[in-house]
Amino acid sequence: MKQLRNNVIRAGLGALYFSGAHHLLRPLLSGVGAIFMLHHVRPARDAAFQPNRHLEVTPEFLRATLSHLRSRDIDIVSMDELHERLVQGRFARRFAAFTLDDGYRDNLDHALPVLREFDAPLAVYVASDFAEGTGRLWWTALEAVIAKAEQIDVQIGNGALRLDATTPAAKQAAFDRLHDWLRALPGEHDLKREIEALCTTYDVDMEALCRGLCLSWNEVKTFAADPLVTIGAHSISHCNLARQSGEIASQEMAVSRARIEQALGRKVQHFAYPYGDRDAAGEREFALAATAGFKTAVTTRPGMLFAENAGHMTALPRVSLNGNYQDTRILPVLTSGAATAMWNGFRRIAAA
């Protein structure tokens, strides 16, 4: 089903490009700017089974994106400047910001050198447990479990389930089944229990995965010392905030910021919601982020920026640079706003 969705999206992007419709729609739909969302930036991997491929782009594709924006005479700005332009209504020139979620080491090793080539600012949202080396990158752990197994045995509710994992296609189907199940569990403790049980059964060290992939506090400090870099908060544990009590959700925001501020000795004023879709970040979370004093908070809801977003600073949409669609031909489509407008039913603001 997910592969079908990817194919439909790819076909839709291609149709917009080849029809030239994005050129006609650009004046109406491109807005005043965009916030681009990334996670991993690293060289392409050869493995046939890569269920989290959507979370990574190559340095070459990032470079092509930056080149495209420069060719369009679009300013690349920090999140502080983006906030100022929205508040002050400074829309004479279109602008874009680059954001990277979670705090991966490849952001420092591979993304920063490319962004430096273009003197382009970036914001990196750090989940504090990831920087501690104790975080649960459960989606990566699930990939590691399935990659090394030929069958997966799991107890779901009152029933035992055995999933084939002998081929890349079977592994992908198993991943999709288990990923959807884990995301749908009622609480973080349920997800923690189930992913830890899978990791124990199939000998995957989740903390070692975290330490191997994520920036340590010392590396976060090194990263933050670059004048192009803004460090933002991304919660303590990367949990679904909408499923927490108001008290816990507020704590996830406040404590993560406090830990980062203590490590860096500077204020943290920007936040990214973990997951960030409608099921994980809604009106309550937007209000909590505003109450916590964040200047901006970004979602994963797709969309361009319009003047009206100035009234919804803790519900900002982003444009995903998705690893499944690393085709330079789609870049004019993405910056036209046509793709996100179609996804949103042509609503300019989706902040509820």
Side-chain angles (χ1 to χ4, degrees):
M1 183 60 70
K2 290 184 179 179
Q3 186 58 49
L4 175 61
R5 184 182 65 180
N6 289 339
N7 290 339
V8 169
I9 293 173
R10 186 176 293 107
L13 291 170
L16 285 168
Y17 173 78
F18 287 112
S19 70
H22 61 291
H23 291 302
L24 298 174
L25 294 171
R26 181 181 299 276
L28 298 173
L29 304 178
S30 61
V32 299
I35 304 171
F36 288 97
M37 174 178 65
L38 304 95
H39 291 80
H40 291 283
V41 177
R42 59 190 181 191
R45 296 182 291 153
D46 294 330
F49 173 59
Q50 295 187 51
N52 291 307
R53 187 196 305 266
H54 63 291
L55 296 177
E56 57 187 85
V57 301
T58 65
E60 292 75 21
F61 187 68
L62 176 58
R63 184 176 290 108
T65 304
L66 289 157
S67 295
H68 171 73
L69 294 173
R70 291 296 194 208
S71 73
R72 293 278 178 181
D73 206 24
I74 295 172
D75 294 341
I76 303 173
V77 302
S78 68
M79 288 302 294
D80 281 333
E81 185 169 345
L82 181 143
H83 174 267
E84 288 178 9
R85 291 196 185 195
L86 283 173
V87 169
Q88 297 170 8
R90 291 165 46 203
F91 306 138
R93 292 176 58 85
R94 294 188 66 232
F95 52 89
F98 280 78
T99 61
L100 298 99
D101 289 7
D102 299 340
Y104 296 111
R105 185 169 292 111
D106 56 58
N107 296 175
L108 175 62
D109 294 342
H110 297 292
L112 182 58
V114 175
L115 286 149
R116 278 176 175 161
E117 293 175 23
F118 294 84
D119 195 29
L122 66 154
V124 178
Y125 298 104
V126 173
S128 58
D129 275 358
F130 294 176
E132 296 281 352
T134 59
R136 295 191 307 277
L137 284 77
W138 65 266
W139 54 94
T140 302
L142 181 61
E143 177 178 346
V145 164
I146 296 172
K148 68 188 304 183
E150 293 198 345
Q151 69 179 35
I152 305 294
D153 293 297
V154 64
Q155 188 81 17
I156 296 182
N158 295 322
L161 182 66
R162 173 164 291 176
L163 298 171
D164 177 30
T166 54
T167 67
K171 288 180 184 293
Q172 183 65 58
F175 180 91
D176 291 344
R177 175 71 176 85
L178 295 177
H179 183 279
D180 290 348
W181 166 60
L182 290 166
R183 274 294 308 263
L185 289 171
E188 291 299 313
H189 62 285
D190 300 298
L191 192 157
K192 179 178 184 291
R193 179 188 67 245
E194 299 298 346
I195 193 62
E196 287 183 351
L198 280 167
C199 287
T200 298
T201 300
Y202 294 96
D203 194 27
V204 169
D205 187 334
M206 199 155 32
E207 286 196 8
L209 279 176
C210 181
R211 292 191 300 272
L213 289 171
C214 295
L215 295 159
S216 67
W217 282 123
N218 283 337
E219 289 167 320
V220 173
K221 291 177 189 177
T222 299
F223 211 170
D226 192 290
L228 290 174
V229 175
T230 297
I231 301 295
H234 198 37
S235 81
I236 302 170
S237 62
H238 200 284
C239 64
N240 184 328
L241 294 174
R243 293 187 176 177
Q244 312 306 312
S245 68
E247 180 181 359
I248 295 299
S250 294
Q251 183 181 27
E252 285 276 341
M253 294 181 187
V255 173
S256 66
R257 176 171 61 186
R259 288 180 180 176
I260 298 167
E261 288 179 340
Q262 182 177 16
L264 302 183
R266 67 176 69 171
K267 286 189 175 181
V268 172
Q269 303 189 86
H270 304 280
F271 184 77
Y273 302 101
Y275 309 109
D277 56 26
R278 289 181 177 277
D279 293 332
E283 290 185 75
R284 187 197 71 164
E285 290 68 47
F286 303 156
L288 289 174
T291 299
F294 288 107
K295 289 168 63 173
T296 71
V298 293
T299 70
T300 62
R301 299 185 185 195
M304 309 298 284
L305 296 175
F306 296 90
E308 298 94 321
N309 284 108
H312 305 278
M313 285 294 192
T314 56
L316 296 177
R318 291 190 283 180
V319 176
S320 173
L321 291 183
N322 187 307
N324 287 324
Y325 316 115
Q326 296 185 75
D327 182 342
T328 57
R329 293 177 300 180
I330 73 167
L331 293 174
V333 176
L334 291 180
T335 56
S336 74
T340 53
M342 292 180 68
W343 183 275
N344 289 324
F346 292 91
R347 290 175 300 164
R348 289 159 69 97
I349 303 294

